[in-house]
Amino acid sequence: RDDCYLALTSNPNLLREYARILTHLPALLNSNSSLNATMPPKNKKNEADVSDDKFMRAARFGRVKNDLKMGFVGLPNVGKSTLTNLLCGACHAEAANYPFCTIDPNMVQAIVPDQKFKYLVDTWKPPSVVPAALKIVDIAGLIRGAAEGAGLGNAFLSHIAAVDGIFHLVRAFESDEIVHVDDTVDPIRDLETIQYELCLKDKEALSKVIEKEKDRIRKEKGIARSAEPPLGETFKSAYEKCMQLIESNTPVQTFEDFSMGEVDIIREFGLITTKPQIYVVNMSKRNFLRKGNKWLPKIQAWVNEHGGGQIIPMSCEFEQDLMDLQDDKEAQKAFIQECNDEVKAMGLSGPLFAVKSVVPRLIRSGRQSLCLQSFYTAGPKEVRAWTIMKGTHAPQAAGVIHTDFERGFIKAEVANFDDFKALHKGERGMAKVKEAGKYRQEGKTYVMQEGDIVVFMHNVTTSKKK
């Protein structure tokens, strides 16, 4: 078993194939979920399944980097810029009632909500505090025909191609003040429009990969340009599966039955729909409070028909009202209580209808879809959360702090956060954790876990002159 473990963790391709196999289980577990016109109750176990499923899917096609970005995609005037502002906690994007108010992609950083990090900060109270952040890009709205150059389409599609994951935002609220680019509100039509444009762009990309592969084979085998080189079976099956998915308006990343070889080939295709997607439904404040909207079951059905995915209902109207009171905590509490009273007046009660912001969940879900996690360094001078990809080994995690740490890696001294919290008894250090035998020394094969508190030991010597 140890040999199998080391083989998996040291070989990214094997890890991706293992991830592909594991994606079947959540799909089977969730296949019988029923649809209704209200938001489903929060279920921690199901939420964990969704997170794992997203991680496994992203692990197949994603870039192996720690500096990944999510991008908001949607039609004009669905709330992308407003939500971008809300996620970063400041008005960085120009939120205006005009279809192309965001011309250039506007990148912001959203602080990752993290109770473990907050606990470490409260314990050490250092002068320097550096939390983890998620990079988010506000991409201007697409319209039908974007893939063929309509509106500002081609430029925007290139911006989408540059991000690593997608928040697909749709509008499910009526408003006479905020115009809809198609005059009427219809989230299903909007979903079809965006998905069609993304798939059309991928179809264009696929139209070029066969000739590119033939040129590669000609060059590799020294075949004349006039000759017709044979394409590999794995390449052909990968191409055919992608084309079939794209022609059915289904994102490539939702398909689970790709082999390891096909995944490696598809990664080189550069397809937009291989990126993980999270569907975000922007509702009115009233619908958000009552946890119901006539479009939700239809959106759920559409998503299921197009490969499935995570759906997060929210309300920019509610979130903006709450954000406007951020400098007055008492006013925020009063606003939340007012909303809870409004919910009770509708005859609704119970944990399902408790009113709270969805912004933290959006940030965490985006980060999880990109396979990102945190480890911590903590001391009297600084507490810092460092971002790494899931599955990262200790030396590579050390390299995120400084390349010398990876080059001269000796060992990692690691404490589990839960152990630290239970054992330190208010002390700003690891003495109690060590006494309890919970302070570990890990080597080069150690796979970093979410929430590890780490000290890296390293030694870099100058190389001998040749």
Side-chain angles (χ1 to χ4, degrees):
R1 288 185 298 176
D2 290 342
D3 291 342
C4 291
Y5 172 79
L6 289 175
L8 276 173
T9 55
S10 61
N11 189 320
N13 288 333
L14 281 177
L15 185 59
R16 289 190 182 99
E17 182 65 6
Y18 180 60
R20 184 191 68 78
I21 294 169
L22 290 182
T23 55
H24 288 287
L25 184 58
L28 289 171
L29 291 174
N30 295 327
S31 61
N32 294 322
S33 60
S34 59
L35 299 177
N36 53 60
T38 62
M39 293 183 228
K42 184 173 181 180
N43 185 307
K44 291 185 178 180
K45 184 176 180 180
N46 289 341
E47 226 175 21
D49 287 342
V50 169
S51 299
D52 290 344
D53 186 33
K54 286 289 180 181
F55 159 53
M56 298 306 180
R57 287 180 178 175
R60 299 180 300 168
F61 300 110
R63 294 185 296 164
V64 183
K65 289 180 63 180
N66 303 318
D67 188 22
L68 303 179
K69 303 183 290 292
M70 291 292 291
F72 273 110
V73 174
L75 294 179
N77 287 356
V78 297
K80 296 185 303 298
S81 295
T82 299
L83 191 48
T84 302
N85 295 341
L86 291 166
L87 290 178
C88 70
C91 294
H92 290 288
E94 179 192 358
N97 181 24
Y98 182 71
F100 299 111
C101 66
T102 311
I103 303 301
D104 295 322
N106 189 78
M107 186 185 298
V108 299
Q109 293 200 93
I111 302 302
V112 177
D114 187 344
Q115 292 301 314
K116 295 177 181 178
F117 177 77
K118 184 176 183 298
Y119 184 88
L120 294 177
V121 171
D122 291 342
T123 298
W124 261 278
K125 297 180 174 59
S128 175
V129 174
V130 185
L134 174 66
K135 289 189 176 181
I136 298 173
V137 181
D138 175 20
I139 302 169
L142 289 174
I143 60 173
R144 185 168 290 278
E148 298 167 351
L152 302 174
N154 277 323
F156 295 163
L157 286 165
S158 69
H159 294 154
I160 296 171
V163 300
D164 302 284
I166 294 172
F167 283 123
H168 190 156
L169 184 62
V170 292
R171 172 177 170 176
F173 67 90
E174 301 280 352
S175 174
D176 294 333
E177 298 177 0
I178 303 175
V179 297
H180 191 289
V181 69
D182 291 325
D183 295 327
T184 58
V185 174
D186 185 344
I188 305 304
R189 178 197 60 209
D190 297 350
L191 285 165
E192 288 283 356
T193 296
I194 297 299
Q195 199 62 53
Y196 173 80
E197 294 301 326
L198 298 183
C199 286
L200 193 61
K201 194 67 177 177
D202 278 356
K203 193 172 182 179
E204 178 187 326
L206 278 177
S207 68
K208 302 173 183 177
V209 300
I210 289 182
E211 197 55 45
K212 184 178 179 181
E213 177 67 6
K214 287 179 179 179
D215 287 343
R216 185 191 68 79
I217 295 172
R218 289 189 187 103
K219 185 176 180 181
E220 187 179 277
K221 297 188 175 182
I223 301 174
R225 287 193 62 83
S226 58
E228 191 69 17
L231 295 173
E233 290 301 318
T234 304
F235 178 89
K236 287 193 289 186
S237 64
Y239 173 85
E240 288 166 3
K241 287 177 183 178
C242 288
M243 185 58 77
Q244 186 177 356
L245 288 164
I246 288 168
E247 287 182 341
S248 65
N249 213 26
T250 302
V252 172
Q253 61 94 8
T254 62
F255 188 69
E256 297 171 359
D257 293 329
F258 288 118
S259 69
M260 183 175 67
E262 288 171 339
V263 168
D264 289 338
I265 290 170
I266 294 168
R267 198 179 296 115
E268 300 302 316
F269 289 172
L271 304 180
I272 291 175
T273 60
T274 57
K275 303 176 189 297
Q277 285 194 54
I278 296 173
Y279 297 92
V280 184
V281 183
N282 186 9
M283 307 185 297
S284 67
K285 176 183 173 183
R286 177 177 172 77
N287 282 344
F288 173 72
L289 293 181
R290 71 183 186 88
K291 302 295 188 288
N293 180 283
K294 67 179 182 179
W295 291 107
L296 283 177
K298 297 177 183 179
I299 292 170
Q300 179 71 70
W302 186 93
V303 171
N304 288 344
E305 290 166 4
H306 291 78
Q310 185 179 12
I311 300 173
I312 301 180
M314 55 81 61
S315 170
C316 283
E317 180 187 1
F318 166 81
E319 299 291 351
Q320 187 65 65
D321 288 347
L322 185 63
M323 178 66 72
D324 289 343
L325 301 172
Q326 65 178 329
D327 295 330
D328 188 341
K329 297 303 178 184
E330 290 302 317
Q332 273 194 335
K333 288 181 182 179
F335 173 73
I336 293 293
Q337 184 58 52
E338 180 184 323
C339 291
N340 280 316
D341 292 341
E342 187 177 338
V343 169
K344 289 179 182 177
M346 297 178 194
L348 306 172
S349 61
L352 170 63
F353 298 100
V355 179
K356 63 179 180 180
S357 173
V358 179
V359 167
R361 182 185 172 196
L362 279 170
I363 297 171
R364 284 193 293 264
S365 296
R367 197 165 188 254
Q368 289 165 357
S369 76
L370 296 176
C371 318
L372 300 176
Q373 66 182 34
S374 293
F375 72 88
Y376 310 115
T377 53
K381 293 184 179 179
E382 180 181 80
V383 172
R384 183 165 185 155
W386 301 87
T387 298
I388 55 174
M389 291 200 75
K390 291 183 180 180
T392 298
H393 288 76
Q396 287 69 50
V400 173
I401 300 176
H402 197 287
T403 53
D404 283 352
F405 284 27
E406 179 178 0
R407 187 159 59 92
F409 179 88
I410 298 173
K411 64 181 178 180
E413 296 184 351
V414 184
N416 175 272
F417 172 82
D418 292 333
D419 290 336
F420 171 76
K421 184 177 180 180
L423 297 169
H424 78 103
K425 296 181 180 179
E427 289 188 8
R428 301 176 185 179
M430 295 293 173
K432 297 293 185 183
V433 182
K434 291 178 180 178
E435 288 175 11
K438 297 293 185 178
Y439 196 69
R440 314 187 311 273
Q441 293 185 356
E442 302 288 357
K444 294 182 178 180
T445 60
Y446 177 67
V447 178
M448 300 292 291
Q449 301 299 310
E450 175 72 42
D452 279 345
I453 306 170
V454 192
V455 174
F456 292 109
M457 299 297 177
H458 72 289
N459 181 28
V460 179
T461 57
T462 56
S463 57
K464 295 180 179 179
K465 294 182 179 180
K466 294 183 180 179

